[in-house]
């Protein structure tokens, strides 16, 4: 069971592809019409490293029409209540 909270939407990065190359934009992203299809928790040394890993998702096999609109939002997980301060 996952019970940790996410950092504020302000701290989100969206990784997508533009002309076949990874393209990163900073948040916030709070689109209510979007649906969360799944998530991965990646433990690594920095937020930048997590963004690099997300950029590799573009290399996953998928139909071209899916890859054209696919993106990953990278958002830190808050470890304790004091992080929400």
């Amino acid at each position: 069971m996952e019970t940790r909270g996410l950092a504020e939407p302000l701290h989100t990065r969206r990784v997508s592809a533009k002309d076949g190359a990874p393209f990163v934009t900073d948040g916030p992203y709070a689109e209510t019409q979007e649906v969360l299809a799944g998530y991965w928790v990646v433990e690594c040394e920095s937020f930048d490293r997590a963004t690099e890993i997300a950029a590799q998702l573009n290399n996953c096999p998928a139909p071209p029409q899916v890859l054209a609109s696919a993106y990953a939002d990278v958002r830190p997980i808050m470890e304790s209540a004091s992080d929400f301060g």
Side-chain angles (χ1 to χ4, degrees):
M1 177 188 318
E2 189 67 42
T3 59
R4 296 177 287 176
L6 296 174
E8 297 177 45
L10 173 68
H11 301 292
T12 302
R13 289 182 183 163
R14 179 163 285 177
V15 181
S16 57
K18 186 173 185 178
D19 299 323
F23 184 75
V24 179
T25 53
D26 291 326
Y29 301 98
E31 302 290 336
T32 56
Q33 69 269 18
E34 296 178 4
V35 176
L36 177 67
Y39 67 94
W40 293 348
V41 175
V42 179
E43 294 185 25
C44 51
E45 64 274 4
S46 69
F47 191 49
D48 288 335
R49 178 64 182 135
T51 303
E52 291 171 5
I53 292 168
Q56 294 302 311
L57 296 175
N58 192 29
N59 296 327
C60 293
Q65 68 273 18
V66 172
L67 286 177
S69 62
Y71 62 86
D73 286 341
V74 181
R75 194 164 167 188
I77 294 176
M78 308 310 288
E79 297 295 333
S80 69
S82 63
D83 290 338
F84 291 101

